[in-house]
Amino acid sequence: MTDLTLRDAQPDDYAAVAALWHAGWHEAHGALVPADLVQMRTLPQFQDRVRDHGAEIRVSGAPGAPLGLCLTKGDELYQLYVGEAARGTGLAGRLLADAERRMAAQGVARGWLACAIGNARAARFYEKSGWIRSGEREAMLTGADGPYPLVVWIYEKPLI
């Protein structure tokens, strides 16, 4: 049985979290976003991002071998990825519910997230989980040389 227990990521997880995030990002976004953004999304960039946000990342799986990850930033569900080995196990729903609970506990009344335009699989998952698409807007993503503008779908959900 796969261990779906959620826990805070530890420094020993960071390399594997970066690899999972890198692979998941390219799978989900590689064909949907501009080629220059795809080229910026290198494994070292994800390693840097994990180091920057490590204390805020929740994972599931054995130490050093995460099956999925979730990262929140204030009122934003910032990242959510599940590795191929854990798809179909309900882990994505568990990570999402955990993020919603944590944001609500911090007093976030309405959470939001950005979804790449055209990412129908993610959109269906969020909508099935009670998130509502409220429109599109330009998001400032982490780029190689500073902020990178990209128009995305915005989803929102009342949490309190």
Side-chain angles (χ1 to χ4, degrees), residues 21-76:
W21 188 358
H22 176 259
W25 188 93
H26 279 274
E27 179 185 355
H29 302 100
L32 301 176
V33 300
D36 62 330
L37 180 58
V38 173
Q39 289 176 339
M40 279 187 242
R41 293 294 193 241
T42 64
L43 182 56
Q45 188 202 42
F46 283 95
Q47 291 166 338
D48 290 344
R49 292 171 77 190
V50 168
R51 277 192 297 277
D52 290 346
H53 297 288
E56 302 152 309
I57 298 173
R58 297 275 287 166
V59 296
S60 178
L67 299 168
L69 69 100
C70 186
L71 171 58
T72 59
K73 286 176 35 177
D75 62 350
E76 179 185 9

Side-chain angles (χ1 to χ4, degrees), residues 102-155:
R102 289 184 296 115
M103 288 191 294
Q106 294 171 356
V108 174
R110 184 181 255 338
W112 72 277
L113 63 89
C115 180
I117 292 175
N119 190 344
R121 181 178 182 197
R124 281 191 306 273
F125 169 71
Y126 294 130
E127 290 166 3
K128 192 167 86 171
S129 301
W131 291 75
I132 298 167
R133 188 182 314 170
S134 61
E136 297 178 3
R137 86 168 173 229
E138 184 176 82
M140 299 308 286
L141 307 181
T142 302
D145 299 317
Y148 184 98
L150 183 71
V151 177
V152 295
W153 287 330
I154 298 298
Y155 280 83

Side-chain angles (χ1 to χ4, degrees), residues 7-18 50 59 61-66:
R7 61 186 176 78
D8 295 333
Q10 301 300 311
D12 289 347
D13 295 310
Y14 290 0
V17 168
V50 168
V59 296

